[in-house]
């Protein structure tokens, strides 16, 4: 990234005609854009060397550039710049192992959880009460990090074998057989579509995964709510007592698979946290690890940039089909992809989905794409992987974790309280003001890269945090017990 300081603002690329304000200038808030040059009516607004919108009218130098004088057009396409090459700086001094749990199938756990899974929303209350029984249990002696409820709002009244049914089975199966899950109890009502058999059947399509120690039952067979809760507690106790003795061992970072996500983005997301995370991602990939980029609608406009990075023709075609599907979906519902912008994004200085997309894809650095997957599919590629997920954070991360991510890196500029229950979530603030305001929720401050450090230094700090968190250091989200409400599978269609 080419960055030039101009009177409390940043010019991000020599081709740009706008710069980003780093300290409020009159009525222009921090993080917003001002014109660096005169921009004629209907002429391109350029940031990062790419067109992010068109001027509604003539914009004079120094003028605030935002929704009031800039418009989105879905006809705009980013220029197909050649993929960059990762140039590691100080890579030899970085750790390339972590302390994790080696599973029988060769995967690595960064945590040990016992999960209680509801097959259908009708068993959710029982699942919650069974899990709540173990909230104060002293499980650290047996190296178990907790008993986690996994509940959702579906599981029945779907077309058996239909897309929604397959997707939910795949997502639950991915969490059930996740490398951070050591044991499970599956609780159903007894008459629903999704059941333990359909979940196990979904796992048969996954490559050689070992299953956790598990048990299951139905509430109807147990004789009602109270009896089911009591039985569930006994079954969890039985699973806990049957677990082996766990010990962290030194493992290569090639066994780390990191989900990349952003939420509550602001204009600094694309300048600090996201590109710094991209450097950490490239570093991990250079050591043989895996990072997974999702949130397809938030990559809108950048599909050609991503396609150019696909190694195989098959993945190029799959990526093209995914973005084509989203375009058709938007047209069918009479919306455009610019509707992905949330009010908080706009307040934070982002003026179009194109501007947001440039920041979103920077989380993935410059590594080549080795695999393109549907939502929740098993991640088998090594390196950078793209997964088709929606932009809504809990739904996106639920799918990425279902694919096998054992760590989550989450950037935010406005503030997000998201945390995943079974995969530790490293929260990265884009600016120091946010970091200081939400110290109990943010693990890292990328805002320092603007004043006291550099993107490369922050990228190394993020990478080192991967190692420490994977090795057992609790994240802010974990300290607060976040994540028990955030299992949100993607629901696509019918409820019969």
């Amino acid at each position: 990234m080419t960055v030039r300081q101009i009177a409390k603002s940043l010019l991000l690329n020599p081709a740009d005609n706008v710069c980003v304000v780093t300290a409020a200038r009159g009525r222009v808030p921090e993080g917003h854009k001002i014109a660096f040059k005169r921009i004629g009516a209907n002429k391109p607004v350029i940031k990062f060397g790419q067109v992010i919108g068109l001027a509604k009218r003539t914009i004079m130098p120094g003028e605030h550039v935002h929704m009031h004088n800039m418009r989105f057009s879905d006809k705009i396409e980013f220029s197909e710049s050649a993929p960059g090459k990762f140039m590691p700086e100080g890579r030899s001094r970085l750790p390339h192992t972590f302390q994790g749990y080696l599973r029988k199938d060769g995967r690595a756990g960064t945590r040990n959880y016992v999960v209680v899974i509801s097959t259908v929303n009708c068993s959710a209350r029982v699942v919650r009460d069974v899990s709540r029984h173990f909230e104060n249990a002293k499980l650290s002696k047996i190296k178990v990090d907790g008993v986690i409820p996994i509940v959702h709002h579906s599981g029945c009244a779907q077309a058996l074998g239909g897309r929604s049914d397959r997707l939910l089975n795949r997502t639950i199966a991915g969490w059930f057989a996740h490398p951070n899950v050591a044991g499970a109890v599956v609780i159903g009502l007894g008459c629903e579509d999704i059941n333990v058999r359909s979940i196990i059947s979904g796992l048969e399509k996954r490559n050689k995964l070992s299953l956790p120690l598990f048990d299951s039952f139905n509430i109807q067979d147990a004789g009602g709510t109270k009896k089911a809760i009591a039985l569930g507690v006994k079954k969890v106790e039985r699973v806990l007592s049957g677990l082996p003795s766990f010990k962290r061992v030194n493992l290569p970072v090639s066994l780390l698979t990191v989900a990349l996500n952003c939420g509550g983005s602001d204009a600094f997301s694309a300048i600090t946290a996201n590109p710094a995370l991209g450097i950490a991602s490239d570093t991990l990939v250079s050591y043989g690890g895996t990072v997974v980029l999702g949130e397809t609608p938030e990559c809108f406009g950048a599909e050609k940039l991503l396609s150019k990075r696909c190694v195989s023709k098959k993945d190029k075609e799959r990526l093209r089909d995914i973005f084509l599907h989203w375009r058709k979906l938007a047209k069918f519902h009479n919306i455009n992809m610019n509707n992905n912008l949330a009010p908080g994004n706009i307040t934070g200085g982002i003026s179009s989905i194109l501007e947001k997309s440039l920041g979103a894809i920077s989380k993935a650095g410059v590594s080549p794409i080795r695999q393109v997957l549907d939502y929740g599919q098993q991640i088998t590629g090594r390196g950078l992987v793209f997964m088709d997920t929606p932009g809504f954070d809990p739904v996106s991360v639920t799918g990425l974790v279902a694919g096998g991510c054992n760590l989550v890196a989450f950037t935010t500029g406005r503030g997000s309280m998201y945390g995943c229950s079974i995969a530790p979530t490293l929260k990265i603030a884009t600016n120091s003001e946010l970091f200081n305001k939400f110290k109990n929720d943010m693990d890292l401050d990328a805002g320092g890269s603007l004043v006291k450090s550099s993107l490369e230094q922050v990228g190394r700090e993020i990478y080192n945090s991967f190692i420490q968190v994977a090795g057992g250091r609790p994240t802010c989200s974990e300290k607060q017990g976040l994540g028990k409400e955030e299992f949100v599978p993607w629901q696509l269609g019918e409820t019969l």
Side-chain angles (χ1 to χ4, degrees):
M1 182 187 295
T2 304
V3 179
R4 178 179 159 201
Q5 294 276 356
I6 304 175
K8 297 184 179 179
S9 62
L10 296 174
L11 183 68
L12 302 173
N13 188 289
D16 291 355
N17 54 18
V18 295
C19 48
V20 178
V21 172
T22 56
R25 295 174 59 163
R27 295 183 180 180
V28 182
E30 183 180 83
H32 283 238
K33 298 175 292 298
I34 58 172
F36 177 62
K37 303 173 182 176
R38 181 183 181 277
I39 307 171
N42 295 314
K43 295 298 182 182
V45 176
I46 303 172
K47 182 181 178 185
F48 301 112
Q50 298 281 1
V51 180
I52 61 169
L54 301 174
K56 292 180 180 179
R57 56 170 175 77
T58 298
I59 303 173
M60 300 306 292
E63 191 176 345
H64 185 198
V65 180
H66 201 32
M67 310 289 284
H68 63 289
N69 57 7
M70 178 186 133
R71 65 182 175 86
F72 165 77
S73 171
D74 60 7
K75 306 295 184 187
I76 295 171
E77 292 186 346
F78 293 144
S79 59
E80 295 183 62
S81 56
K85 185 177 181 181
F86 176 55
M87 302 296 290
E89 182 180 323
R91 177 178 176 270
S92 61
R93 299 189 296 274
L94 294 173
H96 54 275
T97 61
F98 72 102
Q99 292 290 306
Y101 298 106
L102 184 62
R103 305 306 186 193
K104 291 180 181 179
D105 55 18
R107 295 182 298 165
T110 59
R111 297 292 185 272
N112 276 327
Y113 284 109
V114 169
V115 294
V116 187
I117 300 173
S118 62
T119 61
V120 65
N121 183 254
C122 308
S123 61
R125 172 59 189 271
V126 169
V127 164
R128 290 187 194 281
D129 284 358
V130 170
S131 302
R132 193 174 293 121
H133 177 84
F134 296 91
E135 282 184 351
N136 298 315
K138 295 180 179 179
L139 303 176
S140 58
K141 293 181 180 179
I142 57 172
K143 296 293 191 294
V144 170
D145 294 291
V147 175
I148 300 294
I150 297 179
V151 298
H152 55 94
H153 298 289
S154 187
C156 201
Q158 301 175 132
L160 287 174
R163 191 178 178 196
S164 292
D165 181 70
R166 296 196 312 272
L167 198 61
L168 184 55
N169 269 297
R170 181 198 301 164
T171 306
I172 296 175
W175 280 55
F176 172 69
H178 193 274
N180 289 353
V181 171
V185 173
V186 182
I187 303 177
L189 177 61
C191 55
E192 63 272 16
D193 295 342
I194 305 291
N195 53 58
V196 70
R197 292 185 303 278
S198 67
I199 295 169
I200 298 296
S201 176
L203 284 171
E204 291 173 358
K205 298 176 182 178
R206 297 188 174 233
N207 295 336
K208 303 176 184 177
L209 298 188
S210 60
L211 299 184
L213 181 64
F214 77 96
D215 204 341
S216 66
F217 71 95
N218 292 323
I219 296 170
Q220 290 169 350
D221 296 334
T225 302
K226 287 189 176 181
K227 290 180 179 179
I229 293 170
L231 179 59
V233 169
K234 287 183 180 179
K235 286 188 177 290
V236 171
E237 289 174 339
R238 195 174 303 155
V239 167
L240 287 168
S241 65
L243 293 175
S245 176
F246 295 109
K247 183 180 179 181
R248 288 188 180 272
V249 295
N250 210 35
L251 298 173
V253 294
S254 58
L255 294 181
L256 287 180
T257 302
V258 182
L260 309 176
N261 216 87
C262 51
S265 299
D266 69 351
F268 288 116
S269 297
I271 302 169
T272 60
N274 287 3
L277 178 55
I279 290 169
S281 298
D282 284 333
T283 302
L284 181 61
V285 167
S286 74
Y287 277 134
T290 301
V291 296
V292 190
L293 178 68
E295 301 179 287
T296 310
E298 300 195 358
C299 299
F300 177 79
E303 51 263 48
K304 287 189 177 180
L305 300 181
L306 293 173
S307 177
K308 205 172 185 69
R309 294 165 62 176
C310 289
V311 173
S312 75
K313 182 179 178 182
K314 179 182 176 182
D315 283 334
K316 283 180 185 285
E317 292 173 349
R318 179 71 195 112
L319 195 69
R320 179 200 63 202
D321 291 344
I322 286 171
F323 279 95
L324 182 61
H325 165 76
W326 278 97
R327 286 179 182 271
K328 289 180 177 178
L329 188 67
K331 186 176 181 181
F332 178 80
H333 289 287
N334 196 31
I335 58 176
N336 65 55
M337 298 303 281
N338 206 49
N339 294 129
N340 179 271
L341 281 188
N345 298 151
I346 296 168
T347 302
I350 299 175
S351 307
S352 74
I353 184 58
L354 300 169
E355 184 177 5
K356 188 176 181 181
S357 294
L358 288 167
I361 67 171
S362 68
K363 299 192 301 292
V366 296
S367 297
I369 295 174
R370 301 285 181 181
Q371 188 175 32
V372 176
L373 297 172
D374 287 335
Y375 183 88
Q377 276 191 308
Q378 183 187 2
I379 300 159
T380 56
R382 297 285 90 186
L384 173 60
V385 174
F386 183 90
M387 180 182 286
D388 182 23
T389 77
F392 184 36
D393 303 328
V395 182
S396 177
V397 180
T398 295
L400 294 167
V401 171
C405 293
N406 50 15
L407 197 65
V408 178
F410 193 110
T411 66
T412 182
R414 301 288 295 169
S416 171
M417 305 307 104
Y418 179 81
C420 182
S421 57
I422 66 169
T425 303
L426 187 69
K427 299 285 278 301
I428 307 163
T430 72
N431 61 85
S432 298
E433 182 181 356
L434 174 71
F435 179 78
N436 292 326
K437 185 177 180 181
F438 292 100
K439 279 196 170 178
N440 291 330
D441 295 283
M442 300 295 130
D443 298 283
L444 287 167
D445 175 19
S449 63
L450 288 175
V451 289
K452 59 185 178 182
S453 60
S454 66
L455 281 177
E456 288 73 21
Q457 287 175 303
V458 176
R460 289 196 296 273
E461 185 180 354
I462 294 171
Y463 175 82
N464 282 325
S465 291
F466 288 170
I467 305 301
Q468 294 160 7
V469 170
R473 189 189 82 188
T475 65
C476 289
S477 296
E478 289 179 293
K479 291 175 183 177
Q480 298 188 78
L482 301 180
K484 295 177 182 177
E485 304 292 335
E486 282 77 13
F487 177 75
V488 189
W490 195 6
Q491 291 298 286
L492 297 174
E494 78 289 341
T495 298
L496 302 175

